[in-house]
Amino acid sequence: MIGRQVRTPYGKFLDLLAIDADGNLHVLELKRDRTPREVVAQVLDYGSWVSTLGRDEIIDLANTHLDEPFASVFDETFGDTLPDELNKDLELTIVATELDASLERIVTYLRGLGVPVNAVFFSYLEDGDRRYLARSWLAPQREGAESPKPSAPRSKRAEWNGRDWFIAFGEESGSRSWQDARRFSFVSAGGGHWYSRTLRSVPVGARVNVHVPKAGYVGVGTTTGEAMRFDKALVGPDDKLGRLADQALEGRYHHGPEGAPQDDDVAEWVLPVQWDVTVPVQEAFWEKGMFANQNSACSLRDEFTLERIAQHFGLED
């Protein structure tokens, strides 16, 4: 639940505004003693405004109604980070105490036109000492045509600054070591095309924010070259470059049986990085609501995460 009695730019207040695990908004209006036409007109009015809200506007709105940062509350509620895209779909729900023939007729007609509106009815029942609250929907949820798109939609996907990347550095099974990465200035991924392809797409000059799964963020730096296979990667200053594979390393950086040949899809790929800051895994930084992803690399758009990383590691930009 984002907020109750949420004020609109038109001076009116919608009863309840909520968000689901997919990042879609829900407008809920209580019928109370209003006529079917009044409540339907009201929920459509509110829906016309909510459907235009962009990601930044939703986050700002939520932060004004919640006691904690929106991203943290979302993580705690759904056990997942805030999606990059918010408000892709919208649900309008009328909450009533009884089935009204007029309301049923209007809602059914609007749904047939593709309007994402539904009605839910609650009945309070008593049977001796037992009490029941029964709920029933006018129509199955998420049934019908896709939600209509606003004529001038604002950005509902987090804008990317074109510079920051998320890097997942997995240390599972000893395949790689963060200590090696800190010492020899690199990040790496491999063991399959799905793991290495995203890392290989990170450009020179990108800022990488490195995350160790189940631990947190451990380093920030700038890439100084393109990704190369581990067996060909070079490390060290320009005048003393040496093969990474010839160094004393804690990780194996080899997938499959030792000595078995590896094609590009299976091989470990290494991306050289000039570190701004790194910490041991034991000092990894993590807060609820921060961004994490299973991809080895992807654009990092989440402002909450970027702000927390900058503050924690003392980064000016």
Side-chain angles (χ1 to χ4, degrees), residues 19 90 116 142-143 168 215 240 244 265 289 301:
I19 191 169
L90 173 66
R142 296 192 179 279
E143 178 186 76
K240 295 182 180 180
L244 179 59
D265 286 344
R301 304 167 180 266

Side-chain angles (χ1 to χ4, degrees), residues 232-312:
K232 299 180 180 180
L234 301 176
V235 295
D238 292 340
D239 58 341
K240 295 182 180 180
L241 287 175
R243 293 177 68 244
L244 179 59
D246 294 335
Q247 311 304 315
L249 302 172
E250 296 183 11
R252 292 184 289 106
Y253 307 97
H254 187 89
H255 306 279
E258 289 294 336
Q262 296 183 326
D263 59 25
D264 287 350
D265 286 344
V266 177
E268 186 81 2
W269 285 76
V270 174
L271 188 65
V273 178
Q274 179 179 342
W275 295 120
D276 294 323
V277 59
T278 64
V279 296
V281 174
Q282 295 79 3
E283 299 176 18
F285 171 60
W286 181 257
E287 286 186 10
K288 285 184 177 180
M290 295 182 74
F291 179 85
N293 194 286
Q294 293 182 341
N295 287 305
S296 298
C298 65
S299 57
L300 181 52
R301 304 167 180 266
D302 187 70
E303 292 183 2
F304 176 79
T305 300
L306 290 171
E307 289 173 359
R308 292 298 189 271
I309 290 174
Q311 292 172 3
H312 181 79

Side-chain angles (χ1 to χ4, degrees), residues 115 208 219:
V115 180
V208 292

Side-chain angles (χ1 to χ4, degrees), residues 90-218:
L90 173 66
E91 296 286 343
L92 310 175
T93 302
I94 298 170
V95 183
T97 56
E98 61 182 353
L99 180 61
D100 185 295
S102 179
L103 178 61
E104 179 180 2
R105 184 173 64 254
I106 297 172
V107 171
T108 301
Y109 174 72
L110 291 173
R111 289 179 63 83
L113 297 177
V115 180
V117 63
N118 205 346
V120 62
F121 306 95
F122 288 90
S123 300
Y124 175 74
L125 310 172
E126 291 187 1
D127 180 15
D129 295 334
R130 299 177 180 178
R131 301 174 182 178
Y132 304 91
L133 188 63
R135 180 192 67 184
S136 59
W137 291 88
L138 176 61
Q141 291 177 279
R142 296 192 179 279
E143 178 186 76
E146 293 184 357
S147 304
K149 303 303 179 183
S151 57
R154 303 177 189 178
S155 174
K156 296 180 181 180
R157 182 176 174 84
E159 292 186 7
W160 184 38
N161 58 23
R163 179 184 178 189
D164 280 288
W165 288 73
F166 167 88
I167 301 291
F169 191 89
E171 290 191 304
E172 66 281 354
S173 304
S175 58
R176 58 189 65 86
S177 166
W178 174 238
Q179 282 299 100
D180 291 341
R182 296 179 69 197
R183 181 183 175 191
F184 295 105
S185 302
F186 72 91
V187 291
S188 67
H193 178 68
W194 189 87
Y195 298 102
S196 63
R197 64 179 176 83
T198 52
L199 186 79
R200 292 160 66 178
S201 68
V202 179
V204 179
R207 181 166 58 188
V208 292
N209 302 265
V210 185
H211 176 268
V212 173
K214 300 181 180 180
Y217 285 88
V218 292

Side-chain angles (χ1 to χ4, degrees), residues 6-14 42 44-53 154:
V6 177
R7 185 184 182 90
T8 71
Y10 317 110
K12 298 181 180 180
F13 296 84
L14 64 86
Q42 198 77 73
L44 292 178
D45 184 18
Y46 296 150
S48 68
W49 167 62
V50 173
S51 66
T52 67
L53 294 179
R154 303 177 189 178

